[in-house]
Amino acid sequence: MARRTCAQPPSSPQLLHLIYSFAADSKPLAPCTIFSPTTNAYYDLNPLTVLPLKDHKKAHKDDRAESWHARGYGMGTNFTLNFCAPVIETIEKAVDIKESQLKNISAFYEWKEKTYSIGQTPPEIIFRGRELSLVYENGSPCDSPLTSEPPTTKNNRRKLNDHDDDDDDDDDDKKKKDKDKDKKKDDDKDEEDDGRKSHKDKSDDIRRKSTLISLACDQNLAPGKAHVSFVGASPDQCTYFFRAKSLAACGGVKEPPSGLGAGGVFGVMSVFPPPLSLSIPYLSPD
């Protein structure tokens, strides 16, 4: 005899997740947040951001008083970085970084009394498969040039010909001197233009240091805490790799947007009601 059964509706957490995801899709994501393309889990790295001190005091007891540090084993130096924001340390000068951009440096190291930027904000938060990474770019120039020889400047100076001697008469000498003077002005102008072009080409070819931070889940750490370690650098000293373990890298369900109370939830449900299969019974052979 056939038995009347009903399909099992999704659990409350699953339904709320769908509702909140729909509501969140109508607004852009906050900075340094991302949804996993494979699991749809929500990641927010902002709790790891070290904020500047206010009047040289911490806003909260557990706040950090300095940026995150990583010991550069085998590099002869240590690294300083922040998550999703510039470092809070004051940097007065960095190699080949404009003064107006010093406040954007998000990772750096010091070597022989010089500061090298290895990336600045804004960051790029990306997923490669299931791997969550944070990327900073546009740091100081890499140690290895793109080419073995820098661009050279063309030399268009006129060489003296064999007939340019001192035996000509005064009028010829005067005419020749005037002509040579005009030619030299043209040559000097060509050299100046070539020099500017060469400098521009050289600037365009400069590769700059960058940072890649791979994040891993660690549920044993308290919120806002992290273990940051240096992994290595590319042979040309252009890219620096770090690994950060944190609870923020575990992902979860995005909290409901502000203003989405019970009325908002039922409003969303009215727009997208449960499927008919959840409410209409069907006969199942026993």
Side-chain angles (χ1 to χ4, degrees):
M1 181 177 177
R3 184 178 59 184
R4 296 168 60 89
T5 60
C6 292
Q8 291 294 327
S11 62
S12 297
Q14 290 175 330
L15 183 58
L16 288 177
H17 176 66
L18 292 174
I19 294 171
Y20 293 146
S21 297
F22 165 75
D25 288 341
S26 61
K27 296 182 179 180
L29 286 175
C32 231
T33 63
I34 192 173
F35 281 99
S36 168
T38 56
T39 65
N40 203 38
Y42 178 72
Y43 293 82
D44 184 359
L45 302 184
N46 288 287
L48 300 179
T49 301
V50 180
L51 299 176
L53 300 178
K54 296 181 179 180
D55 298 328
H56 305 285
K57 296 181 180 179
K58 296 188 294 184
H60 304 91
K61 180 181 179 181
D62 295 333
D63 288 350
R64 292 180 60 89
E66 54 188 20
S67 302
W68 301 94
H69 300 288
R71 182 171 297 179
Y73 292 100
M75 298 294 292
T77 186
N78 297 327
F79 298 90
T80 302
L81 55 88
N82 201 354
F83 291 90
C84 309
V87 295
I88 65 172
E89 288 75 11
T90 300
I91 301 177
E92 298 181 351
K93 187 176 181 181
V95 175
D96 201 31
I97 299 296
K98 296 180 180 179
E99 184 177 357
S100 60
Q101 297 179 346
L102 293 175
K103 62 180 181 297
N104 297 330
I105 295 178
S106 297
F108 73 92
Y109 67 89
E110 295 177 340
W111 175 255
K112 293 184 177 180
E113 299 182 354
K114 291 184 178 181
T115 300
Y116 293 83
S117 168
I118 54 175
Q120 57 181 300
T121 54
E124 181 182 11
I125 180 171
I126 58 176
F127 263 101
R128 287 191 173 94
R130 293 179 178 271
E131 293 295 325
L132 176 62
S133 300
L134 189 67
V135 179
Y136 295 121
E137 296 180 332
N138 298 320
S140 298
C142 303
D143 293 340
S144 300
L146 279 179
T147 57
S148 57
E149 295 181 0
T152 56
T153 303
K154 293 173 60 179
N155 188 349
N156 293 324
R157 291 185 181 276
R158 186 178 68 87
K159 296 181 179 180
L160 291 175
N161 297 324
D162 292 338
H163 63 271
D164 288 342
D165 53 24
D166 296 331
D167 292 337
D168 299 324
D169 55 33
D170 293 340
D171 292 338
D172 291 339
D173 287 344
K174 187 176 184 302
K175 291 180 181 179
K176 191 178 296 294
K177 288 180 180 178
D178 292 341
K179 184 177 181 180
D180 291 346
K181 186 176 180 180
D182 294 339
K183 179 66 175 176
K184 187 176 185 303
K185 289 182 179 179
D186 293 339
D187 291 342
D188 290 343
K189 183 177 180 181
D190 291 341
E191 281 192 356
E192 185 178 354
D193 292 341
D194 289 338
R196 281 197 294 260
K197 182 179 179 182
S198 174
H199 179 73
K200 181 179 179 181
D201 293 342
K202 184 176 180 180
S203 299
D204 292 341
D205 287 342
I206 290 179
R207 292 184 301 165
R208 293 187 171 273
K209 296 177 183 289
S210 60
T211 292
L212 189 149
I213 307 173
S214 177
L215 292 112
C217 172
D218 191 334
Q219 296 182 344
N220 295 322
L221 293 176
K225 303 297 182 181
H227 288 163
V228 183
S229 57
F230 172 68
V231 177
S234 59
D236 58 1
Q237 299 288 307
C238 227
T239 305
Y240 297 79
F241 302 94
F242 299 86
R243 186 170 181 81
K245 296 181 179 181
S246 171
L247 182 63
C250 297
V253 177
K254 187 179 184 338
E255 294 184 2
S258 58
L260 187 64
V265 171
F266 287 107
V268 173
M269 293 181 65
S270 65
V271 177
F272 292 94
L276 294 177
S277 60
L278 298 182
S279 56
I280 299 178
Y282 64 94
L283 296 177
S284 175
D286 192 356

